[in-house]
Amino acid sequence: MATTKLTAWGNSYGIRIPKALLKALDWQPNTELILSLDHDQLIIQQLAKVSTVNQPLDDQLINRYFPIPDQLTGVALIDGNPYAYNIKNPWQITTPQYAKIIAVNQGTVYAVVIEPPADITQALNFKL
């Protein structure tokens, strides 16, 4: 366990991650990270390590859909597997709406807003 302080950096805030933790995680400068909240805890994950599924499972997600969550980007369990997600065309959102998965790349699901499907019982299990 390590401690650090939240400091002001311009108009934002930042933290320093101790070298021992960076070494243990094997994070290098410019490593892409995903930030998410779990109740009152900040979770930081390396983007490339989010997904543990293989390509055939990724391919099965294409053209499937899920209800749009409040956050348009983040990390979620989709059918029980961890994925980063990014929903495009947010200006088209009206309630209720769904997102259709158009691509899966390195553990990130890319989706676009669609009209509610006829059979919403077939939606993917999506859990933040």
Side-chain angles (χ1 to χ4, degrees), residues 9 15 24 33 49 74 99 122 125:
W9 287 358
I15 61 170
L33 302 173
K49 293 185 178 180
Q122 296 300 312
N125 182 359

Side-chain angles (χ1 to χ4, degrees), residues 67-101:
I68 294 176
D70 291 335
Q71 294 177 273
L72 298 180
T73 60
V75 178
L77 291 178
I78 300 176
D79 274 3
N81 296 300
Y83 284 92
Y85 66 91
N86 186 352
I87 300 171
K88 305 288 186 186
N89 305 352
W91 58 87
Q92 296 178 359
I93 296 175
T94 59
T95 306
Q97 281 287 359
Y98 287 80
K100 180 179 178 182
I101 297 172

Side-chain angles (χ1 to χ4, degrees), residues 48-74:
K49 293 185 178 180
V50 170
S51 178
T52 58
V53 297
N54 59 31
Q55 192 60 41
L57 290 176
D58 288 354
D59 292 343
Q60 291 176 23
L61 296 176
I62 304 293
N63 294 322
R64 302 221 21 225
Y65 55 88
F66 56 89
I68 294 176
D70 291 335
Q71 294 177 273
L72 298 180
T73 60

